[in-house]
Amino acid sequence: MNFANKIYKKFAGTILLGSLCFAGVVSQSCTEDIDQSNRYTFTGETIVDYLENRSDSFGDFLTILSRASVKERSSAGEESKGSVKHLLATYGRYTCFAPTDSAIRNFVRQQYEIWYNDSLAVLRGDLPADEARKTGITSPEFDELSDSMCAAIAKDHIIEGEIYHTYDLGEGALGRPNMNDRYIASRFVPDENTGVVSLKLNDASTCISQDNDAENGVVHVLDKVLNPSNEL
């Protein structure tokens, strides 16, 4: 009887060991078969973090965001002034169209030239004063932008309360206006030579990097500053 018990225990142990080995092989095989190349790694970046971590491209835009004031309401219902930059560093739902530094510098120069040329035309008598274009930019230097212009530029590029990826967009105005209560128009334009389709906003700015997800929204990078839209 003792001999039979020993045989049984030895046999049971062998079965148990074999089961564990088999389970280990299956577990290892399953782990190795997982394709992790498409897995999203959460970085925890807010929109401001995204821009600051790429400050060599968005330093001017960050300056504009920090100088653009906005009313903020505390949990107690008290209003205070903050900045658009602070807003984009908090939890919420935002779509940010971020122009590069070169796009902002070009915009400042172009708007200055428009103001300067129209001002000269008025002085020469070639243009009625009420027809002169007032861009709000009277210097080609970025550092001389007024706070009000910084606020206008910043709010033109932010949609609060909604996250729009490129696959959410179609031909026409987005469903929610920007912080200046203007609608941004989108359309997809194929390149005549390559056929590659690009997203254009307000018929001027091209999205050169899209769907950059952040913890509180999404960032689309633009090659030109958004022209103010007339869509109310």
Side-chain angles (χ1 to χ4, degrees):
M1 188 70 177
N2 290 336
F3 177 76
N5 285 338
K6 288 181 180 179
I7 292 296
Y8 174 78
K9 288 180 180 179
K10 185 175 182 180
F11 179 76
T14 302
I15 294 296
L16 178 60
L17 180 61
S19 299
L20 291 174
C21 290
F22 177 77
V25 169
V26 170
S27 175
Q28 183 179 4
S29 175
C30 290
T31 302
E32 291 176 350
D33 287 343
I34 294 175
D35 180 8
Q36 302 198 23
S37 61
N38 293 321
R39 295 184 66 184
Y40 174 72
T41 301
F42 179 69
T43 63
E45 287 184 324
T46 64
I47 290 175
V48 168
D49 291 330
Y50 176 89
L51 298 173
E52 287 183 337
N53 290 336
R54 298 155 184 84
S55 58
D56 55 335
S57 297
F58 302 109
D60 290 344
F61 190 50
L62 284 165
T63 298
I64 287 173
L65 294 177
S66 65
R67 292 181 58 194
S69 62
V70 64
K71 288 183 179 179
E72 296 180 336
R73 186 178 293 275
S74 69
S75 57
E78 299 175 350
E79 282 192 354
S80 62
K81 275 194 174 182
S83 68
V84 175
K85 180 181 177 182
H86 179 263
L87 191 70
L88 297 180
T90 61
Y91 288 102
R93 295 171 60 80
Y94 305 99
T95 300
C96 174
F97 299 100
T100 61
D101 286 351
S102 59
I104 290 175
R105 298 285 172 147
N106 288 335
F107 174 78
V108 171
R109 284 193 296 269
Q110 290 166 1
Q111 296 302 302
Y112 164 73
E113 289 172 2
I114 291 172
W115 169 83
Y116 180 77
N117 291 332
D118 279 17
S119 297
L120 284 182
V122 170
L123 290 175
R124 292 194 303 265
D126 298 334
L127 183 70
D130 59 352
E131 293 183 13
R133 290 168 290 181
K134 298 176 176 62
T135 64
I137 297 178
T138 58
S139 169
E141 300 299 325
F142 171 78
D143 293 339
E144 295 185 23
L145 274 178
S146 65
D147 288 345
S148 60
M149 277 307 303
C150 287
I153 294 171
K155 293 176 182 179
D156 273 341
H157 291 78
I158 308 297
I159 295 176
E160 185 178 11
E162 194 61 71
I163 299 174
Y164 288 105
H165 291 90
T166 52
Y167 50 76
D168 298 319
L169 306 181
E171 300 285 323
L174 278 63
R176 185 183 288 263
N178 61 26
M179 293 182 69
N180 277 329
D181 288 328
R182 301 280 178 169
Y183 284 91
I184 297 173
S186 66
R187 66 189 182 99
F188 293 92
V189 180
D191 185 274
E192 294 181 357
N193 298 319
T194 64
V196 175
V197 177
S198 299
L199 173 64
K200 274 197 176 294
L201 301 174
N202 291 352
D203 284 327
S205 303
T206 300
C207 184
I208 56 177
S209 177
Q210 62 278 342
D211 300 329
N212 300 290
D213 286 315
E215 186 174 353
N216 57 348
V218 65
V219 179
H220 305 291
V221 182
L222 303 181
D223 68 340
K224 292 181 181 178
V225 171
L226 283 173
N227 289 323
S229 167
N230 292 323
E231 297 291 340
L232 294 171

